[in-house]
Amino acid sequence: MKLVKHLANLGYGSRKEVAWMFREGRVTDAAGEVLYADDPLDHGSVRVDGQPLDPPPGLVLMLHKPVGYTCSMKDPGRIVFDLLPPRFRLRDPALSTVGRLDRDTTGLLLLTDDGALLHRIVSPKSRLAKVYEATLADALRGDEAGRFASGALLLESETTPLLPARMDALAPRRARLVLHEGRYHQVRRMFAAVGNRVAALHRPQVGGLALGELPEGHWRALDAADLDRLFSPETP
Ligand code: URA
């Protein structure tokens, strides 16, 4: 692939705009030598305005999603892509969220431009655990863990019962849940099904990958070791 197309695919501009960047001498190699639009591609050694390029396709990142951002491209309000470099919205292949978190849910959100990986993560066959911490409007009654673990709980307007899920009480109004599926508003609807209401919801972990010290609103690219951790079988 020509360098000009690679840069356009990374969102640095349209092909025409990127061609101008070459003309203006803004695209160089690591030693500062000016590069040309049809030069061969050596991603690691290219600089734009002296800066290394954004990660190449195959990008996987995790974002610590704050309250108030939607996992959508279209929403007129705040969207999770507002928390990433603006160029990331223009990439081809496109970066998408891996599943969704509700607008008012915080925590670990994965994004990738790798369609096969996205399917592997969301596939029920991978049985990736999603860990949630819920703060509840009312105190736990004591029967919730048994009902969630039963494999018989039906959510409103659904006909297939939920897979067994694990719940541990953390405090009278706080619970940790481990799910192996991802239905629409699942955690909120599970607590609604047992007569409670989720007041706040946080996802600290997916598979074996945890947010760790990543501050709210921040993101980082994942490396091979992170992906091993994500798919690690010994999840919570
Ligand atoms: N379950 C929910 O209800 N909301 C989320 O954002 C994720 C899981």
Side-chain angles (χ1 to χ4, degrees):
M1 186 189 296
K2 299 235 174 85
L3 207 39
V4 64
K5 179 159 173 50
H6 185 59
L7 262 60
N9 286 352
L10 289 177
Y12 282 85
S14 66
R15 262 179 100 128
K16 215 164 147 192
E17 286 161 348
V18 173
W20 267 107
M21 292 165 68
F22 282 94
R23 289 264 167 267
E24 290 166 351
R26 294 170 57 194
V27 186
T28 64
D29 66 13
E33 283 294 312
V34 168
L35 293 173
Y36 288 87
D38 57 355
D39 276 345
L41 171 60
D42 176 9
H43 182 96
S45 72
V46 179
R47 303 286 180 271
V48 172
D49 298 329
Q51 300 300 312
L53 293 183
D54 292 341
L59 175 61
V60 193
L61 56 91
M62 70 169 168
L63 170 72
H64 187 162
K65 181 192 166 304
V67 162
Y69 288 79
T70 47
C71 295
S72 152
M73 276 286 196
K74 291 186 196 134
D75 195 281
R78 291 182 173 82
I79 60 173
V80 292
F81 289 91
D82 295 339
L83 299 163
L84 304 175
R87 270 199 299 272
F88 281 18
R89 238 182 271 194
L90 306 172
R91 288 171 66 107
D92 180 12
L95 194 60
S96 0
T97 65
V98 180
R100 287 173 177 219
L101 289 177
D102 299 339
R103 188 164 69 88
D104 291 329
T105 302
T106 60
L108 197 165
L109 180 70
L110 294 167
L111 294 102
T112 185
D113 61 6
D114 180 337
L117 179 70
L118 188 150
H119 283 114
R120 188 173 162 217
I121 297 171
V122 298
S123 164
K125 280 195 207 130
S126 296
R127 283 192 51 81
L128 272 199
K130 278 152 279 201
V131 181
Y132 292 93
E133 287 166 7
T135 304
L136 303 166
D138 299 314
L140 290 159
R141 284 195 312 234
D143 64 341
E144 295 87 348
R147 294 185 64 189
F148 293 162
S150 69
L153 187 71
L154 270 182
L155 295 181
E156 194 181 296
S157 74
E158 292 198 3
T159 50
T160 318
L162 293 177
L163 292 176
R166 174 178 174 159
M167 192 207 91
D168 294 296
L170 302 174
R173 291 182 188 202
R174 276 177 52 78
R176 180 178 184 273
L177 265 176
V178 182
L179 307 186
H180 289 95
E181 58 188 333
R183 300 197 199 179
Y184 181 66
H185 291 337
Q186 182 166 340
V187 176
R188 295 174 202 275
R189 291 165 74 213
M190 284 171 77
F191 279 103
V194 297
N196 208 329
R197 187 173 64 77
V198 170
L201 188 59
H202 177 69
R203 180 162 77 180
Q205 188 168 342
V206 175
L209 186 69
L211 276 174
E213 301 299 306
L214 188 67
E216 205 171 70
H218 288 237
W219 64 276
R220 72 173 176 82
L222 300 188
D223 60 19
D226 291 314
L227 289 180
D228 283 349
R229 229 169 278 134
L230 176 67
F231 289 108
S232 130
E234 80 234 20
T235 319

